[in-house]
Amino acid sequence: MGAVSARLYCPHGGSLHYDVASRSGKVFFLLERALERFTDAFVFVSAFEAEAFRAKVGTPRRPFVIASNGIRDAEFVPVETEADAADFLYIGMMRDLKGPDLFLAALAKIRDETGVAPRALMIGDGPDTERYQRQAAEFGLAATTRFHAAMPARKAFAMARIVVVPSRAESMPYIVLEAIGANRPLVATDVGGIPEIFAEQRTRLVPPGSAEALATEMRRLLDDPATAEAEAAALRESIRPRFSVEAMARNVSEAYGLARGRTVLPSPETS
């Protein structure tokens, strides 16, 4: 007897960031609903994503599971910090959605408050790189902020003491999981599935879009390395059972079972 196939679909978090009232949003959400006809089960990478789908596209008409992104055992090995490491690292796409402009504004605010500009490293590619380089110069940060093309995350983590994820929107970002797995002190915004990662530490997440709040949290970790390291270690231990590749595989396997059995699950808001 041949194997029974199943068609799983994971909606892309980027499409779910659109406003329901925008023309682009209406097009993307109609396409998402149309694709459901060819889907046996959904896989959402976060509870946030499942709820966004329900609110913007509609309640799923197929079974679904939450299969959060997971990282490999090797990515849970702490990264050693280089001797000449910068204070802060931004790593990601160079576009406003990810908040590089907020990162630069926060660096300037720390400089204005303390009289010393933190040393920063910005790693990544994107259409707005030159604009951020100009912004750094306008803030008077050109001498203390270096830009570098994209590189492997773990190599980048060794080059700075604290990782900053200043995103205005996310779904379930791997960079947050990778930074935590590498045991890096981390400043992140309260968006998308990031609170699901931080769990008990979610209260220290920063409101999105606020350079002032971002600067406050960045300075807190910079001024108190012992607390920063303790928080990083606790967070790393808390995510290991929930965000490993093995946990992700188990959840995806569950989705295959549901697809074959057509079991009806609760809506995202009650699951």
Side-chain angles (χ1 to χ4, degrees):
M1 182 177 178
V4 178
S5 63
R7 296 168 298 184
L8 303 186
Y9 177 53
C10 182
H12 188 265
S15 66
L16 297 176
H17 292 326
Y18 284 98
D19 191 298
V20 292
S22 70
R23 180 178 299 177
S24 296
K26 290 176 181 177
V27 171
F28 275 108
F29 301 146
L30 282 173
L31 289 172
E32 291 286 359
R33 184 54 95 183
L35 286 168
E36 188 175 36
R37 291 183 298 166
F38 306 99
T39 299
D40 295 314
F42 285 102
V43 175
F44 294 106
V45 299
S46 65
F48 164 82
E49 188 177 80
E51 174 55 23
F53 187 96
R54 185 204 63 78
K56 295 183 176 182
V57 179
T59 300
R61 297 168 184 159
R62 298 288 189 269
F64 68 89
V65 299
I66 309 297
S68 299
N69 294 334
I71 58 176
R72 299 173 289 109
D73 285 346
E75 294 174 287
F76 280 103
V77 176
V79 169
E80 293 295 325
T81 307
E82 295 177 357
D84 61 344
D87 297 309
F88 296 109
L89 168 68
Y90 169 86
I91 176 171
M93 283 292 293
M94 294 295 181
R95 53 189 296 231
D96 283 353
L97 184 73
K98 299 297 185 179
D101 57 320
L102 297 170
F103 178 68
L104 288 166
L107 292 171
K109 184 169 179 59
I110 294 172
R111 186 269 318 279
D112 293 344
E113 291 175 345
T114 66
V116 179
R119 295 174 60 224
L121 182 60
M122 299 185 71
I123 295 178
D125 299 319
D128 296 321
T129 301
E130 291 184 1
R131 176 160 62 86
Y132 298 133
Q133 291 171 335
R134 291 195 300 270
Q135 185 180 8
E138 290 165 2
F139 277 133
L141 299 171
T144 54
T145 302
R146 291 191 295 126
F147 287 78
H148 196 289
M151 67 171 67
R154 289 179 64 84
K155 179 179 179 181
F157 294 152
M159 299 167 68
R161 295 180 176 83
I162 299 168
V163 178
V164 181
V165 179
S167 300
R168 290 179 168 90
E170 288 287 356
S171 183
M172 179 57 72
Y174 264 107
I175 195 62
V176 170
L177 296 174
E178 291 167 333
I180 294 171
N183 208 39
R184 309 314 290 174
L186 177 64
V187 177
T189 48
D190 190 3
V191 294
I194 296 178
E196 298 168 45
I197 300 172
F198 271 65
E200 293 181 357
Q201 290 195 38
R202 66 190 303 167
T203 56
R204 68 181 186 88
L205 292 173
V206 175
S210 173
E212 292 78 10
L214 194 68
T216 297
E217 180 66 3
M218 289 165 63
R219 186 175 172 186
R220 182 183 73 84
L221 296 189
L222 185 64
D223 291 345
D224 190 352
T227 295
E229 291 173 9
E231 290 175 348
L235 195 53
R236 177 171 165 269
E237 289 305 308
S238 76
I239 75 161
R240 187 153 196 161
R242 298 180 292 128
F243 296 98
S244 66
V245 167
E246 291 77 15
M248 181 173 63
R250 285 195 302 270
N251 290 328
V252 172
S253 294
E254 180 185 352
Y256 274 105
L258 291 170
R260 292 165 180 165
R262 278 285 194 268
T263 302
V264 177
L265 294 184
S267 66
E269 57 205 311
T270 60
S271 64

